[in-house]
Amino acid sequence: MPLPAAPLLRRFSIVALLALACCGNASAQWLKGSRGSAAPASITTPHVQAELVAHAPEGVVAGGQFQAGLRITHQPHWHTYWLNPGDSGLATQLAWSLPDGLAAGPVAWPLPQRIPVGPLANYGYENTVLLPVTVQVAPGFAAAPGQTSVRLSLHAQWLVCQQECVPEEGDFSLELPMHSATAADGADFAAAQAAQPRALASGLTATVDGNSLKLDGTGLPPALQGRTLELFPETPEITAPAAPLQQRWSGEHWTAEAALAAQRSESPALLPVVIAATDAAGQRQGWRIEMPVAGPWPTAAKPVPVSAALQSALADNAAAAPVAAQAAPMATWLAALGAALLGGLLLNLMPCVFPVLAVKLLGFARHGAAPRQQRIAGLAYASGVVLSFLVLGALVLGLRAAGEQLGWGFQLQSPVVVAALAALFTVLGLNLAGVFEFGMWAPRGLAGMALRHPAADAFLSGVLAVAIASPCTAPFMGASLGLALGLPTAQALPVFAALGLGMALPYLGAAWVPAVARLLPRPGAWMDMFRRLMAFPMFATVAWLVWVLGQQSGIDGAGALLLLLVAGSACLWALALRGRARAWLGGATALLLIGLLTAVGPRAVSALPPQQAAADAAARWQPWSEDKVRSLLAEGRPVFVDFTASWCVTCQVNERSTLADDGVLQALDGKRVALLRADWTRQDPAITRALRALGRSGVPVYVLHAPGRPPQVLTELLSRDEVKAALAALPAR
């Protein structure tokens, strides 16, 4: 007796979960918090979390003082810089905007560490550092009537580096109660104070001797005596940070020699330095000393300014960097939840979802006469859908925080995932067609497990439905998902959950409302025919996936996948035979499949170089780039951009109907509109950034640019009349 159709989904749970979790590799710089009056107290980038904190145990008292500062928590192996950054880098800069009567002092820099970077060395901070300042309150400071707090505002710029460097900045604000204590971060401020170098008046002097600086003196603290010391000049480009400090002790007398920087910035007569050492307890301690410098300095080389590239990166970052996660107003967030719920409902109509949901329909029909089983299956299916959307959302948000440039539907940008899904749907189609049965290979107890646990089958069918459905959400969810991917996690995940709930809602209704359940057909012989009929939507999905892979890996990649699918199908057929034929024919086809996997498998999942893919574009459409858009607009030409992907069904429908319509093409030509196509079939960080700048996270997206006008974003379900109306609004040429 063949197993019911629904349990086959359970047999492929691992494949479905892997398909759900896979994503292509990407790298990008995701910088700074947005500017505005409602700046947050904390900003998270892929490399750091930066937070404005304060310590005012007595409140804000006239004539008193309190502490404020920027706390930076670095991702592992990333660092920011001290007052003197060393061989490269930039010191973190704090610009305060405080109410009248409040004045922020300089940064009380904690003791830095020497960070080797290849042949160079930097001075800076890893892990977590707090950069505190003392805020003085004027004696005559008085609050306005009814005022109970003061707002501290800070604009900070920092350079965060690992092997590469990323300029980042952010605007922060913090409401500080005036008449109550603010002391939650007191321990951090106490630790920062303990980490500050202590002032020391000693007999230490410095003498310039050729290209080295010789240090000599006594009177250093007992904690330093006899230990290997570290030297951190506060003035940049005086000594060479990467050069070892030659030093020795003779009783309490310490001498050292430091190499001068090849491109020295100054020739000071008084040099402030920080000297540090690790004590017997393993704690680093530092002292700040101002040393008089004797002897003539050698002629200094012309100082080298901060690189133009770095300054340009800072400027570009300030103007156009993606916005860090910021909380949305309640009304905006509720609108996004409503749009997500509606989008999930409409998602059930998408063709890429239908094959999996058709199998689910068989499960509903099987339990048509058992209301309890129906309800359990409906809840399990809804749980699988909602949980899967939450997992996908958490994965995208997590990768966003780690620096990945991703958008929704990202899993189908990976040829490996596309090939795996094509294989999965081929196997499901063969099973539905009756070529083989899963139960013939499984132990008898395992074969009956699905019948004993139908909820597991329903749950996994929801997981598989989401794995395939997520790329189809963009037509209904473009704006909402674009907003969700820029929200904090606490606001973003409910949007994903609402999308899943909307998708599962019709099936929950069918499971829990008897009137709906009675509309479902009763089990009977028709189910076997319907099951075999459902094999063809599965195979149609395979054909679509092979076509998608052809866009990613070329015609050779698609051919290799087809060959593997045929060999795999033959292997399944042979293993379904009886007797001795099953042993020798099944073994032969299995060996053939293994050989083909080794020989042509890598070709099936190897992406084409971007330039080769671009060469395949239609002659009317040119490959998109930001520079090309700017260049065409500078010439006075309007530009129409089609953000698309081969795996996006809606994109292909729009391109073969609206964008291929003769009337639309004539209207485009009449306005001399340049046509650019941004192909997102493979991961492309530049396209991802452009989509994010438009407030979108998936495709399709259609944008009409015109000189002197803001970009006009058209609807995802593009119509001929909409395009013609947008073109008609352009000035005549």
Side-chain angles (χ1 to χ4, degrees):
M1 178 69 182
L3 285 177
L8 62 90
L9 294 169
R10 192 171 189 274
R11 304 286 182 250
F12 282 86
S13 59
I14 296 178
V15 178
L17 290 171
L18 287 176
L20 184 66
C22 285
C23 67
N25 290 330
S27 63
Q29 299 173 350
W30 190 56
L31 313 178
K32 85 166 188 140
S34 65
R35 302 190 179 202
S37 58
S42 176
I43 289 177
T44 300
T45 78
H47 315 107
V48 304
Q49 180 185 19
E51 183 178 10
L52 174 59
V53 292
H55 179 60
E58 299 178 356
V60 181
V61 181
Q65 64 182 32
F66 61 89
Q67 290 184 296
L70 184 68
R71 181 170 56 206
I72 303 177
T73 302
H74 305 81
Q75 289 291 332
H77 312 301
W78 290 82
H79 62 271
T80 53
Y81 293 92
W82 183 54
L83 175 65
N84 171 9
D87 275 319
S88 61
L90 288 174
T92 299
Q93 301 174 30
L94 307 183
W96 296 89
S97 296
L98 303 177
D100 291 341
L102 302 184
V107 175
W109 294 93
L111 181 64
Q113 64 186 98
R114 185 175 180 273
I115 304 172
V117 183
L120 306 178
N122 295 332
Y123 302 146
Y125 308 100
E126 296 179 323
N127 302 317
T128 299
V129 64
L130 174 60
L131 305 179
V133 302
T134 298
V135 180
Q136 296 287 345
V137 185
F141 177 79
Q147 181 181 1
T148 60
S149 65
V150 295
R151 172 174 289 184
L152 310 182
S153 297
L154 170 67
H155 179 70
Q157 291 181 303
W158 61 91
L159 186 69
V160 57
C161 298
Q162 188 189 40
Q163 296 300 321
E164 68 276 14
C165 288
V166 181
E168 298 183 343
E169 61 182 316
D171 286 295
F172 306 82
S173 67
L174 181 66
E175 292 291 334
L176 194 65
M178 297 179 59
H179 307 300
S180 59
T182 300
D185 297 296
D188 287 348
F189 279 95
Q193 184 176 10
Q196 292 168 19
R198 285 163 278 181
L200 177 66
S202 73
L204 198 63
T205 60
T207 303
V208 177
D209 184 6
N211 289 319
S212 64
L213 187 68
K214 293 186 176 180
L215 313 177
D216 184 281
T218 58
L220 294 176
L224 295 179
Q225 293 177 16
R227 299 193 174 277
T228 301
L229 305 186
E230 301 173 80
L231 179 69
F232 300 98
E234 289 186 356
T235 306
E237 297 177 332
I238 293 294
T239 62
L245 181 66
Q246 307 294 332
Q247 57 183 299
R248 67 184 181 88
W249 286 93
S250 178
E252 297 182 0
H253 189 261
W254 180 68
T255 58
E257 183 174 345
L260 294 178
Q263 293 178 322
R264 198 176 71 256
S265 61
E266 297 182 32
S267 302
L270 189 68
L271 180 64
V273 299
V274 171
I275 293 179
T278 302
D279 62 20
Q283 299 296 318
R284 295 180 74 237
Q285 300 184 50
W287 280 262
R288 183 180 185 273
I289 304 170
E290 293 186 349
M291 300 187 303
V293 182
W297 290 90
T299 302
K302 183 179 180 180
V304 178
V306 174
S307 71
L310 183 54
Q311 294 285 19
S312 176
L314 285 168
D316 291 345
N317 174 49
V323 176
Q326 307 256 345
M330 182 60 66
T332 303
W333 182 60
L334 292 176
L337 289 178
L341 188 68
L342 178 61
L345 284 167
L346 296 176
L347 191 58
N348 291 283
L349 305 177
M350 297 301 292
C352 57
V353 186
F354 177 71
V356 175
L357 302 188
V359 174
K360 180 62 188 165
L361 180 62
L362 284 175
F364 272 113
R366 179 162 59 93
H367 296 302
R372 182 174 179 275
Q373 293 282 14
Q374 242 177 286
R375 291 174 180 177
I376 292 175
L379 286 175
Y381 177 80
S383 299
V385 171
V386 174
L387 182 61
S388 298
F389 270 109
L390 286 173
V391 169
L392 270 176
L395 179 62
V396 174
L397 295 174
L399 291 173
R400 176 194 70 181
E404 300 286 348
Q405 289 277 14
L406 296 176
W408 197 245
F410 63 92
Q411 64 269 35
L412 289 189
Q413 292 174 335
S414 168
V416 175
V417 175
V418 174
L421 288 175
L424 171 65
F425 274 80
T426 299
V427 173
L428 295 179
L430 293 173
N431 176 261
L432 288 171
V435 173
F436 74 97
E437 301 296 339
F438 290 106
M440 64 192 310
W441 301 325
R444 183 171 301 176
L446 182 62
M449 188 179 299
L451 298 177
R452 296 195 302 271
H453 302 286
D457 293 314
F459 178 85
L460 290 171
S461 66
V463 172
L464 184 59
V466 174
I468 303 302
S470 57
C472 299
T473 60
F476 309 112
M477 290 297 301
S480 295
L481 284 177
L483 173 65
L485 294 179
L487 291 176
T489 302
Q491 282 192 328
L493 287 181
V495 176
F496 295 112
L499 177 59
L501 180 61
M503 180 176 172
L505 209 52
Y507 298 93
L508 277 175
W512 281 82
V513 179
V516 176
R518 283 194 293 269
L519 297 176
L520 295 174
R522 295 291 178 255
W526 68 270
M527 291 184 62
D528 185 63
M529 180 182 67
F530 185 70
R531 172 193 169 181
R532 296 177 188 274
L533 178 64
M534 285 301 98
F536 295 98
M538 294 288 180
F539 293 140
T541 304
V542 173
W544 167 63
L545 289 167
V546 171
W547 179 78
V548 170
L549 188 79
Q551 306 301 308
Q552 298 170 331
S553 300
I555 189 65
D556 291 340
L561 177 61
L562 286 173
L563 186 61
L564 290 171
L565 294 179
V566 171
S569 301
C571 184
L572 290 174
W573 168 79
L575 292 175
L577 297 175
R578 301 289 181 180
R580 298 170 61 182
R582 174 180 178 179
W584 69 265
L585 194 54
T589 54
L591 290 175
L592 174 63
L593 178 59
I594 293 172
L596 288 174
L597 281 170
T598 303
V600 303
R603 183 65 193 89
V605 295
S606 298
L608 287 174
Q611 61 271 23
Q612 184 176 343
D616 295 335
R620 180 183 287 270
W621 292 84
Q622 303 176 54
W624 169 91
S625 73
E626 288 281 10
D627 290 340
K628 186 167 293 186
V629 172
R630 286 193 290 266
S631 174
L632 290 167
L633 290 175
E635 297 173 6
R637 293 190 62 184
V639 180
F640 184 89
V641 182
D642 171 19
F643 290 90
T644 183
S646 299
W647 39 262
C648 170
V649 176
T650 308
C651 302
Q652 306 310 316
V653 172
N654 288 339
E655 289 172 14
R656 285 158 175 73
S657 55
T658 301
L659 295 181
D661 179 73
D662 289 338
V664 171
L665 294 176
Q666 290 175 6
L668 289 166
D669 292 341
K671 297 289 187 176
R672 294 185 63 248
V673 178
L675 302 180
L676 303 183
R677 181 158 283 158
D679 189 352
W680 208 40
T681 301
R682 290 162 298 277
Q683 174 62 31
D684 188 324
I687 295 177
T688 306
R689 288 193 295 270
L691 288 171
R692 185 171 292 161
L694 294 168
R696 296 294 189 268
S697 66
V699 290
V701 174
Y702 305 100
V703 185
L704 181 61
H705 298 269
R709 295 188 177 190
Q712 180 180 357
V713 180
L714 307 181
T715 60
E716 290 88 347
L717 297 175
L718 198 62
S719 68
R720 299 176 179 88
D721 290 340
E722 181 184 12
V723 178
K724 292 178 180 177
L727 294 173
L730 295 177
R733 302 193 62 81

